[in-house]
Amino acid sequence: MKKNILITGGAGFIGSHVVRRFVNRYPDYQIINLDALTYAGNLENLKDLESADNYTFRKCDITDIGAVESLFKEFKIHSIIHLAAESHVDRSITNPIDFVMTNVVGTVILLNAFKQFGEVSEGRFYHVSTDEVYGTLGDDGKFTESTPYDPNSPYSASKASSDHFVRAYHETFKLPMVISNCSNNYGSHQFPEKLIPLMIHNIKNSKPLPVYGKGDNIRDWLWVEDHASAIDVIFHEGRLGETYNIGGNNEWKNLDLVHKLCEIMDRKLGRPEGKSAELITFVTDRAGHDFRYAIDASKLENELKWSPSVAFDQGFEKTIDWYLENEAWLDGVTSGAYQSYYSQLYDHR
Ligand code: NAD
Ligand code: DAU
């Protein structure tokens, strides 16, 4: 009998990489991808898997208790890898309620369904979370698993809250769970509301490159497929009840990263050196903008022998190439609703 592994949010950026990895590597799992297909979910991301025997897609909103319970009655769920979420900090500032609904209420609905109908004596509930729950760092130090939660944005507050519910279900109901908190991911299929694909799209179209504040904020960037490999190892070998931090050990100041991107794009687009950088425009800062994130991933590295496989230079070039080679994907996701989102957020900044 195949084990039914439910992956939520599998049509999104990270989820599609996780689904592909699990479908290709684990023929003994039936991978059930549950996704509401919001603006961020796109079945084009998984077209290559449509005919795989061990892959099933169900369109379902995790805030719909009835629909979630029906799915759990249809499939005996062995384990869950929960990625479905509202994931963009700027959207959480303009519309926090959506974040409470999906990230908090939706997560509790899934926990309840798993507790009631899942194979809790054998499987596990894996919550994929973010380093943003720890708040912000100054110039020094890194987040460890024992850093106190101190979320600053409605997004990170909703993810912190969902982490707490997962822990609470473990303590109160002995629900088997594991949580990981990861830094910024980059790679193919990321929705161009996030820094890197947004800048690639704008450079391509010679549009202004909106850098928030002075561009001094620092993020730690990890290749999305290395996040997927960490999720794989934590899902299979992580100790129940534990949290694991995942990071790339690869800190970049936003402005430096945008300059690097401009240099590579000039070369790839055959533009004179320095041309794309002329598009850089400093805009009003994000409200409550966390200054710096940095991850100490030594627990994961030492305990589960995971480390990132791709050097940043290599992963970054591959990422840029993917967006340039997949013009139709980028054009598809930036038509329609994206235009009004973009105007609302950037026109008067
Ligand atoms: P994404 O926005 O690209 O994808 C989210 C997916 O969830 C989409 O497919 C969307 O359709 C689906 N979804 C949203 N609301 C839903 C609902 N109510 N019911 C069912 N499906 C719903 O997000 P991402 O960047 O791939 O992030 C995935 C997970 O990883 C999130 O939980 C996020 O908090 C976490 N995370 C992201 C990063 C990052 O850098 N992107 C880093 C660390 C952790
Ligand atoms: O750290 C993990 C988190 O990383 C994830 O939990 C989130 O889901 C993910 O969206 C990401 O959050 P950030 O806010 O760090 O990512 P974003 O790509 O939105 O922004 C990266 C940095 O770039 C941040 O400091 C804000 C800045 N920025 C972003 C945009 C979209 C700009 O300067 N200009 C922009 O237009």
Side-chain angles (χ1 to χ4, degrees), residues 14 86-90 129-132 155 159 182-185 190 192-199 209-213 215 217-221 254 257-258 283 285-286 289-291 293 341-342 345-346 349:
I14 301 170
E86 287 293 336
S87 68
H88 191 40
V89 174
D90 291 322
S129 192
T130 171
D131 60 355
E132 298 198 13
Y155 163 69
K159 292 296 289 188
C182 186
S183 63
N184 289 60
N185 286 211
Q190 187 171 32
E193 62 191 351
K194 307 280 167 43
L195 180 73
I196 291 175
L198 183 145
M199 294 294 174
L209 308 180
V211 172
Y212 296 170
N217 302 64
I218 294 169
R219 296 292 182 267
D220 166 29
W221 293 94
N254 290 340
L257 188 69
V258 173
V283 300
D285 209 350
R286 174 185 278 173
H289 197 175
D290 285 336
F291 173 60
Y293 304 142
Y341 160 78
Y342 197 89
L345 198 67
Y346 293 97
R349 204 154 180 156

Side-chain angles (χ1 to χ4, degrees), residues 286-344:
R286 174 185 278 173
H289 197 175
D290 285 336
F291 173 60
R292 173 172 167 257
Y293 304 142
I295 282 279
D296 177 346
S298 52
K299 177 175 173 184
L300 176 60
E301 288 164 4
N302 296 334
E303 220 178 84
L304 304 182
K305 309 293 170 223
W306 173 89
S307 58
S309 70
V310 168
F312 184 63
D313 277 353
Q314 194 191 343
F316 203 44
E317 287 254 354
K318 269 181 143 174
T319 299
I320 297 164
D321 287 342
W322 188 85
Y323 290 97
L324 292 179
E325 283 159 16
N326 289 275
E327 231 171 27
W329 185 94
L330 202 51
D331 290 348
V333 298
T334 51
S335 63
Y338 182 82
Q339 300 300 331
S340 47
Y341 160 78
Y342 197 89
S343 301
Q344 210 188 342

